[in-house]
Amino acid sequence: MAAVDRSLVANLSMFAGLAPAEQEELLREARSVRYPKDSAVFEQGAEADRFFVLLHGHLRVEKTTPQGQQTVVRYVSAGELFGVAQAMNLSHYPATAVAAVDSVALAWPSSSWARLIAKYPSLASSALQTVGSRLQDTQARVIEISNEQVEQRVAHALLRLAKQAGRKVEAGIEIDFPISRQDVAEMTGTTLHTVSRILSAWETQGLVEGGRQRIVLRDPHRLHLLAEGAEENRPRAPKP
Amino acid sequence: MAAVDRSLVANLSMFAGLAPAEQEELLREARSVRYPKDSAVFEQGAEADRFFVLLHGHLRVEKTTPQGQQTVVRYVSAGELFGVAQAMNLSHYPATAVAAVDSVALAWPSSSWARLIAKYPSLASSALQTVGSRLQDTQARVIEISNEQVEQRVAHALLRLAKQAGRKVEAGIEIDFPISRQDVAEMTGTTLHTVSRILSAWETQGLVEGGRQRIVLRDPHRLHLLAEGAEENRPRAPKP
DNA sequence: CTTCGACCTTGCGCCAGCGCAACAAGCATG
DNA sequence: CATGCTTGTTGCGCTGGCGCAAGGTCGAAG
């Protein structure tokens, strides 16, 4: 679509270590695309014909099981590389990416990937790093779900969201896109009901402030303690 | 240590697409190292000074939380690339790799990584693929733990192990390395006790055959049904 | 053959959190 | 401003599977 302004993208990590002329060349192959809120950037199971860098907005990446169970895999924020299925040798996208707010992304044809990394090895490094840190995050999540109580998991999830997409407001830190209790439930492997109960309790204690698709962390520090298993509810005591 | 026989490694996926001369050159930089059962290839938190390809044996990769909770992240089988922390820009190994049986691995100094991928871009692709499929697996695991009953998760875990490291025996498929109930528990986010109970029940039904650090799948097909949530115990019915 | 330690089994009681269900509160649309 | 839909709240009862604890079994070492 539109030509892309280099100044917008010069400091994306993906472009780090490339000369301006090289950046230009990369950009010349990309198209910039708008995705209105709630529209899909790509769908799980569709052919992985493009890869992307998010320029603006937030995406929710979700996976649905054959039985219809949905899970929020992660959120993508501006600056991140995503949809690199082809690079991992997947011919089809393993998940669906939906714009949580109006968003803009750069899109390259997947077919260019091989040629581009051959020409710019730093791209491969960059992708490897992206995928690597995603792997770290996902493993951390496995460990959380395995070992922690629901309350701690929700606390962790909120803190991570705040870190990734927090906006400072008077009352504390607000998560910068609409997110439902259902979404939080799907991120933490629990149910809408339980999340709702927990957030209500926290609201009473002044830890968070809720609203329709809105969450503000009022006391991140205390939340952090909760997430680490402090607070009087200790399920597995260390050693007496 | 020893010089490496090229014929041993010519068909590792990591070397696919490289000319014999190039393979030779890569191998010249590697050392082959023996790891006796129960010895560590690297430790969580140690400096990531090498990366590896497993030539023979099986490794158990585990992560320990600051609170002392342990989790089995995965098992590595022969032919796989592992310990590529450096490539993901981690300066330290995020987990510990322990030989589940006597094993042999090729080791390269991490410092060579950047130079090697610049010279052989196919290495980067190969690594990206490895990390990518690991990411897929880990995400699948998150979804399993989030949505499935313990019994299904254990079934899935066993089937995956059998697929990755199964050896055909008269009684069925045996998992090719010593694995304790505790290990299975750590893979599935449950407890030793629960795993033991489940395996006992399955043994009664002729689904598996147990033993000290030994598991044989007698009826993989029926296990598969169980894993997919067939069998009369349906917690979340689709729609009536 | 005995001893020791690692690994496995099993019964029992309990509770976190899920499923159900009914309702309330926003927001959008005509 | 009435209607309808989506999202969030909350009470209640039930249960999967965890924690605890006691005991059993197998393999290795001497």
Side-chain angles (χ1 to χ4, degrees), chain A residues 149-151 189-191 193-194 197 212:
Chain A
Q149 304 289 106
V150 170
E151 216 179 30
T190 181
T191 62
H193 310 274
T194 301
R197 278 182 251 270
R212 200 187 179 67

Side-chain angles (χ1 to χ4, degrees), chain A residues 29 38 42 101 152 173 188:
Chain A
E29 304 197 26
D38 292 331
F42 53 78
V101 296
Q152 299 179 47
I173 303 176
T188 50

Side-chain angles (χ1 to χ4, degrees), chain B residues 75-87:
Chain B
Y75 281 86
V76 178
S77 295
E80 289 184 50
L81 181 66
F82 70 97
V84 287
Q86 187 76 242

Side-chain angles (χ1 to χ4, degrees), chain B residues 54 83 100 114 123 134 153 235 238:
Chain B
L54 190 63
L123 270 191
R134 219 171 271 175
R153 305 207 301 261

